[in-house]
Amino acid sequence: MPTRHLHAPFVVIGGGLGGTAAAVTAARLGVRVVLTESSDWIGGQLTSQGVPPDEHEWIDRQPISPSYSELRERIRDHYRREYPLSAVARSAVALNPGAGFVSRLCHEPRVAHLAVREMTSPLEASGLLTVLTEHDPVAVRRSGDRIEEVVLVDRRTGDEVVVHGGIVADATELGELLDLGDIEHVVGSEAASETGELHAPEVADPLDQQAVTWCAALELRPGEHHVIDRPAGYEGFRDTVPAFWPGPQLSWVDIEPITLERRERPMFAGRPEDAVDSADLDLWHYRRILSRRMMDADWAGHDVTLVNWPQIDYWDAPLVGPGVTAADRARALAGARELTLSFVHWIQTEAPRSDGGTGYPELMLRGDVLGTSDGLAKEVYVRESRRIRARFTVTEEHIGREMRGEGAGSALFDDAVGIGFYRIDLHPSTSGRTYVDIDCYPFQIPLGALIPRDVPNLLAANKNMGSTHITNGAYRLHPVEWSIGEAAGALAAFCTSGSLEPAAVHADAGLLADFQRLLSDRLGIALAWSDEIRTRGSRSEAVTTGR
């Protein structure tokens, strides 16, 4: 079959939250877009990776990104339309279908995917947006310093597809185009001597990358038996104690990320059959995505929780970096899956029960809420990517509370294109480092961090932006990733309409002001926090960590 060629003014490679936001934003502004994604779902960490959104305390109270708020309301509206909600749940303005406490909107990943596709559907019908799922990027072809085309392979058929774009966004989970296109980038941790960061290591280590996690969903089915087969590597995970960890990973014991103290959290605070009404902050309620008590009394379903806990962080090997081959990556991904399945088997068979005895055989893997048949998410949850060498790089000095001083607030960026907030939260890494979880201020997203130094028609639209290993820990979560992609999509549309280069917009004060007016006046995007929030942050209300 001959190679298929597609042409569009804007090409987005990677259909996670950043890529989806970039594509939807540009298409809504009238630009034709091709969006490609390796999975058969778009939405990334919200959908195919199975991670309910992690957000700050102002997400329901202060306008930040109308399109992100639209996505959240589409998710809630699906439950209101299609589920037999209780009267109390149906009347809740901020409906939380899972009643989990990790987020104000805990929900099934498959429902999030439906909501995402609702947003893309009219754009696809109009011809402004073409979505290619199950397509992997395999090559980047450049002419001088510009990207001319990206070569993809269809996972289902093996056919080659070549996409040509005036502007190209790398929104992949691992910054794949940066490697394929020989584009300047950094991976892993930088040295403190390079970044000046208080919490950076003394020596740079490209293999110091946050653990990945292969998430799973479990349903509580009292009185039933759903034990899975014991994975081949089960004993290794059960019996090995990492040097920086207080016990084996198959345990209720882990580390409190901020204080690094040993802690123990049970699956249930009491009897599993009481979980529906329990308010105790145990693991089951932490990431519950479907709550029986939110439904009418005659609903036939049960509680479902999302397993994304420190016990299944896979830190044995990185997915990318110097010397990491495709075979190495495949082995690491297989190891991450085996760790999760081992933990599930341990929970079902050997875990100490809060109500006495061992094992919870009544917990059943629910792959259908993740779009799979094996109970695990479609894709591994990636926390850290290759990152562009950007025109501007956000460091700890710009957002870290300790480095900036109490009450100082985050740095103000003249080129702000969005805002976000999350703690600097680094999970244990593939170099044997434990948590780095430190406080920061609510921050802005600078345009210069989305534009690479060496390729004029490339934009970063995911966690591959110009951050450091440290600040990536704050810029990597759902609403920030969406805002990064949204800004990239708007910039692509702005440049296309004016035959401009992204770097020219960043460098010219008049063009930058025009672009920022597009963001704020036409799209309604907030470009700055109020001084009160920027300088205070969230000290009184705990912000979720452990993602």
Side-chain angles (χ1 to χ4, degrees), residues 398-477:
H398 297 117
I399 67 172
R401 185 180 292 269
E402 187 175 356
M403 283 200 74
R404 294 192 61 77
E406 192 64 36
S410 58
L412 292 172
F413 298 130
D414 291 338
D415 63 339
V417 292
I419 60 176
F421 181 45
Y422 190 71
R423 287 181 64 88
I424 296 174
D425 171 22
L426 277 68
H427 279 232
S429 87
T430 50
S431 69
R433 168 191 52 73
T434 188
Y435 282 104
V436 177
D437 194 312
I438 53 180
D439 202 4
C440 69
Y441 291 105
F443 49 77
Q444 294 172 303
I445 301 167
L447 179 60
L450 311 188
I451 304 173
R453 301 188 304 201
D454 57 333
V455 179
N457 67 328
L458 178 71
L459 296 173
N462 203 329
K463 46 188 169 282
N464 56 350
M465 60 166 276
S467 62
T468 64
H469 175 70
I470 298 294
T471 55
N472 165 74
Y475 278 79
R476 65 182 175 83
L477 274 298

Side-chain angles (χ1 to χ4, degrees), residues 255-274:
I255 290 176
E256 203 288 321
I258 300 173
T259 66
L260 301 183
E261 295 176 346
R262 178 187 184 276
R263 71 178 176 186
E264 184 169 352
R265 291 185 297 174
M267 171 66 83
F268 300 100
R271 300 185 308 164
E273 54 266 37
D274 296 331

